[in-house]
Amino acid sequence: MIQTILCLIVFINVCAIYYFRSYSSTNEKVAFYSGITGLVCMPLSGMGLLLAATNIQGVHGNLGGYSFVIIILLFATCASAYSLVKLFLKRIKLKQD
């Protein structure tokens, strides 16, 4: 299940970078940089996930910084996904007309 979620996150962020690489509006610029931010935060959040899974008796200390990175990853991916859905719905509407 975690592999599927991680693959979906990577797919959303790569698609956002691909479709909005030549941005022309502020929303497209936000989607492009959200995709980049999501891909940059991905290894850090994976490391935090692995450290949290092996944090028996507080060996690794406070992992609050990694939870902050995971929240940034969540919001960046949501912004990218929202922009992608908006773009695809716009393209579908143009094809119907």
Side-chain angles (χ1 to χ4, degrees), residues 44-45 47-49 51-52 55 60-72:
L44 290 173
S45 63
M47 188 170 77
L49 179 69
L51 284 176
N55 196 12
H60 301 296
N62 186 7
L63 298 175
Y66 291 109
S67 62
F68 183 67
V69 171
I70 290 172
I71 291 172
I72 290 172

Side-chain angles (χ1 to χ4, degrees), residues 9-42:
I9 289 171
V10 169
F11 180 74
I12 288 171
N13 289 320
V14 168
C15 284
I17 291 171
Y18 177 76
Y19 284 112
F20 299 115
R21 68 185 179 275
S22 57
Y23 48 84
S24 60
S25 69
T26 307
N27 292 335
E28 291 178 358
K29 186 176 183 179
V30 168
F32 177 75
Y33 285 113
S34 292
I36 291 174
T37 303
L39 288 180
V40 168
C41 289
M42 196 68 183

